[in-house]
């Protein structure tokens, strides 16, 4: 089966065309600047052939038309006919409390997605637009939604509730949802495979460190706690998001600076985190460069970033009654040996014995602890698209059975 995997953002569509059975990505690409002047489509075929096309792409419907055109193109494409697209899998950010698994998209599911817009106003509307665009251009092709929140839906109540009047949970569904679930699920599965142990027997902490960052405590294959909350703002220090802070600070700043709600939201989501602290950049490569040049604010941002991860490792080891494995993934987790060594320094008390040579060399999925380290640390490149393609294939096949 060939699955078109789509991740529709406000002004972008990322796509991969995958044969999940063979685990092969036939083509991948991204359209940026949808709805703006000079949209650009970058498309790469499995043989490495890459093209860039620019034009006016007004909306997601037009964007999907471009994606299909390039997949079908005799010079750049990988298929001859639309009928070779057997299913579409969408990354959907928020499944609310309704979805703890991926689902076939039906009119009822679409209604729930619309109902969840209030919970994810920055994401779900674009996901819905992408689904609608596929309904138009691929009317007979089944579509599946794979939710960022689903993997965390089985967290216990004492973990997902906040210390607020219970009526607010009942009225507005204010609770911890958690995000990056597809990535946490994928890397924890891979960790069990790499360790050659049943997932059910393991206590794993997964650290997804990209532009957005979150951690999860995964016990017996289930996410029992995660650092992002009602929105992706909570938890770790991120590129531009503050992560954990005293909620009173927001009210205080709003009063002092006369900020409107939307301005406070922008402050916390776009101007905070490593960017806000360093005043330099939200990008870890640039932060590391600035640290190397002796920039003290960048050094503080780097240390804060790593310290929070260290703190959550301690918390989650406690929550799980022990620890077998820590996994690093995402652009920073996979590539920054400096972040990993800072996070894991002085952790032998927990059974983590980092091997400096393994940490700073090698690539791909690998172990970076000493052979006799009681707790293993793994670096595992995430592959959310493959999970989406596999879920889509399974659900479409079950539906046809
Ligand atoms: P997204 O969350 O948008 O998918 P990524 O997972 O690609 O983002 O992560 C982007 C982050 O990874 C950026 O902060 C970038 O600087 C960082 N990164 C990528 N490569 C390296 C590297 N070699 N060393 C340190 N940080 C890196």
């Amino acid at each position: 089966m060939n699955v078109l995997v789509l991740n529709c953002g406000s002004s972008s569509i990322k796509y991969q065309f995958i044969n999940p059975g063979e685990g092969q990505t036939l083509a991948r690409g991204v359209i940026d600047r949808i709805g703006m002047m000079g949209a650009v489509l970058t498309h790469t075929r499995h043989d490495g052939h890459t093209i860039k096309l620019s034009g006016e792409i007004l909306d997601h419907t037009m964007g999907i038309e471009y994606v299909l055109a390039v997949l079908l193109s005799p010079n750049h494409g990988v298929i001859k006919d639309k009928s070779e697209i057997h299913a579409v899998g969408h990354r959907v950010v928020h499944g609310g409390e309704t979805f703890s698994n991926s689902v076939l998209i039906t009119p009822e599911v679409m209604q729930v997605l619309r109902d969840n817009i209030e919970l994810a106003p920055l994401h779900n509307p674009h996901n819905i637009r992408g689904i609608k665009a596929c309904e138009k251009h691929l009317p007979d092709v089944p579509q599946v939604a794979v939710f960022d929140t689903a993997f965390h839906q089985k967290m216990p109540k004492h973990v997902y509730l906040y210390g607020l009047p219970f009526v607010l949970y009942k009225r507005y569904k204010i609770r911890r949802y958690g995000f990056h679930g597809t990535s946490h699920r994928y890397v924890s599965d891979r960790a069990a495979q790499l360790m050659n142990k049943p997932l059910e027997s393991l206590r794993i902490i997964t650290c997804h460190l990209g532009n957005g960052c979150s951690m999860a405590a995964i016990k017996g294959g289930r996410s029992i706690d995660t650092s992002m909350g009602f929105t992706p703002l909570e938890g770790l220090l991120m590129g531009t998001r503050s992560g954990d802070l005293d909620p009173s600070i927001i009210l205080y700043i709003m009063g002092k600076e006369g900020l409107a709600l939307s301005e406070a939201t922008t402050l916390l989501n776009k101007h905070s985190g490593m960017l806000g602290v360093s005043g330099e950049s939200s990008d870890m490569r640039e932060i590391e460069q600035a640290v190397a040049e002796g920039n003290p604010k960048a050094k503080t941002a780097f240390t804060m970033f790593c310290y929070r991860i260290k703190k959550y490792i301690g918390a989650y080891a406690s929550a799980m009654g022990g620890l077998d494995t820590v996994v690093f993934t995402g652009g920073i987790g996979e590539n920054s040996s400096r972040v990993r060594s800072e996070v894991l320094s002085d952790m032998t008390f927990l059974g983590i014995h980092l091997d400096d040579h393994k940490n700073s060399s090698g690539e791909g999925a690998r172990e970076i602890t000493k052979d006799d380290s009681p707790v293993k640390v793994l670096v595992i490149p995430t592959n959310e698209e493959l999970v989406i393609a596999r879920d889509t294939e399974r659900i479409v096949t079950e539906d046809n059975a």
Side-chain angles (χ1 to χ4, degrees):
M1 180 180 285
N2 295 327
V3 180
L4 177 60
V5 175
L6 293 175
N7 180 355
C8 297
S10 59
S11 61
S12 70
I13 298 177
K14 291 188 190 135
Y15 64 92
Q16 285 200 20
F17 192 55
I18 299 180
N19 181 323
E22 291 168 15
Q24 197 195 3
T25 299
L26 302 165
R28 70 177 77 215
V30 59
I31 308 181
D32 285 312
R33 301 180 60 81
I34 293 174
M36 300 178 216
M37 295 286 283
V40 181
L41 186 159
T42 311
H43 171 86
T44 304
R45 208 164 52 190
H46 55 84
D47 58 6
H49 170 73
T50 298
I51 50 151
K52 264 187 196 289
L53 303 168
S54 51
E56 296 315 306
I57 302 180
L58 300 181
D59 55 22
H60 287 72
T61 309
M62 223 167 146
I64 297 294
E65 213 175 311
Y66 271 72
V67 172
L68 296 177
V70 80
L71 288 173
L72 284 157
S73 144
N75 293 331
H76 316 297
V78 287
I79 49 173
K80 293 199 171 63
D81 193 272
K82 269 190 197 178
S83 63
E84 291 170 63
I85 302 173
H86 304 120
V88 181
H90 293 267
R91 175 188 177 206
V92 179
V93 170
H94 218 306
E97 289 197 309
T98 319
F99 302 113
S100 54
N101 282 306
S102 307
V103 286
L104 190 71
I105 296 174
T106 60
E108 293 75 31
V109 169
M110 283 301 273
Q111 189 51 48
V112 180
L113 296 186
R114 280 189 215 101
D115 294 343
N116 282 339
I117 283 181
E118 267 198 36
L119 291 174
L122 302 177
H123 299 285
N124 275 26
H126 315 299
N127 300 146
I128 291 171
R129 274 186 207 115
I131 295 168
K132 287 259 167 228
C134 291
E135 272 173 9
K136 178 158 182 237
H137 293 298
L138 300 165
D140 302 321
V141 176
Q143 302 193 63
V144 166
V146 178
F147 302 95
D148 266 23
T149 48
F151 184 55
H152 305 298
Q153 262 304 300
K154 296 190 179 117
M155 288 185 298
K157 201 170 210 162
H158 68 272
V159 172
Y160 71 69
L161 282 182
Y162 289 105
L164 292 167
F166 191 72
V167 66
L168 294 175
Y169 165 61
K170 282 284 166 211
R171 204 178 282 162
Y172 303 118
K173 295 272 174 271
I174 293 176
R175 51 160 287 176
R176 177 180 307 286
Y177 290 99
F179 299 87
H180 290 145
T182 312
S183 177
H184 290 295
R185 170 156 68 108
Y186 174 77
V187 297
S188 54
D189 278 351
R190 284 284 290 138
Q193 279 170 13
L194 289 169
M195 292 176 70
N196 212 5
K197 293 204 168 139
L199 184 59
E200 295 67 35
S201 70
L202 292 172
R203 293 158 300 182
I204 306 175
I205 295 176
T206 47
C207 311
H208 178 108
L209 311 176
N211 285 312
C213 301
S214 72
M215 290 170 60
I218 299 170
K219 190 174 185 183
R222 266 179 58 177
S223 167
I224 63 147
D225 202 349
T226 190
S227 60
M228 283 180 168
F230 178 59
T231 71
L233 187 57
E234 193 180 345
L236 303 177
L237 193 81
M238 310 184 207
T240 60
R241 296 188 196 127
S242 64
D244 294 334
L245 44 75
D246 177 346
S248 306
I249 296 171
I250 305 158
L251 307 174
Y252 187 79
I253 298 173
M254 285 175 80
K256 282 278 180 201
E257 301 271 323
L259 296 185
L261 265 180
S262 63
E263 290 168 320
T265 305
T266 307
L267 172 75
L268 296 170
N269 281 285
K270 304 267 185 218
H271 301 301
S272 299
M274 288 196 289
L275 175 66
V277 174
S278 70
E280 287 285 326
S281 174
S282 63
D283 187 291
M284 184 53 89
R285 278 166 298 201
E286 292 176 15
I287 292 288
E288 287 187 2
Q289 180 63 34
V291 172
E293 288 162 5
N295 179 321
K297 284 195 192 142
K299 172 82 179 129
T300 306
F302 179 85
T303 310
M304 282 173 73
F305 181 88
C306 297
Y307 175 70
R308 273 222 199 150
I309 301 167
K310 185 189 270 290
K311 203 159 81 165
Y312 270 93
I313 289 177
Y316 287 168
S318 261
M320 293 192 289
L323 179 63
D324 299 297
T325 312
V326 179
V327 182
F328 284 87
T329 193
I332 300 172
E334 290 163 31
N335 296 303
S336 177
S337 57
R338 287 201 189 99
V339 166
R340 294 191 301 257
S341 74
E342 173 87 11
V343 168
L344 301 173
S345 61
D346 299 326
M347 282 233 176
T348 48
F349 80 97
L350 254 187
I352 299 175
H353 298 259
L354 188 67
D355 182 316
D356 292 330
H357 177 68
K358 287 191 204 164
N359 182 40
S360 54
S361 57
E363 55 183 44
R366 63 194 188 280
E367 189 197 321
I368 56 168
T369 24
K370 294 193 171 137
D371 292 344
D372 58 356
S373 179
V375 171
K376 303 291 178 202
V377 179
L378 305 173
V379 175
I380 301 180
T382 195
N383 196 340
E384 288 153 284
E385 292 78 11
L386 183 60
V387 178
I388 295 173
R390 282 183 186 154
D391 275 14
T392 303
E393 180 180 47
R394 177 176 51 78
I395 286 168
V396 168
T397 310
E398 279 168 11
D399 189 59
N400 287 336

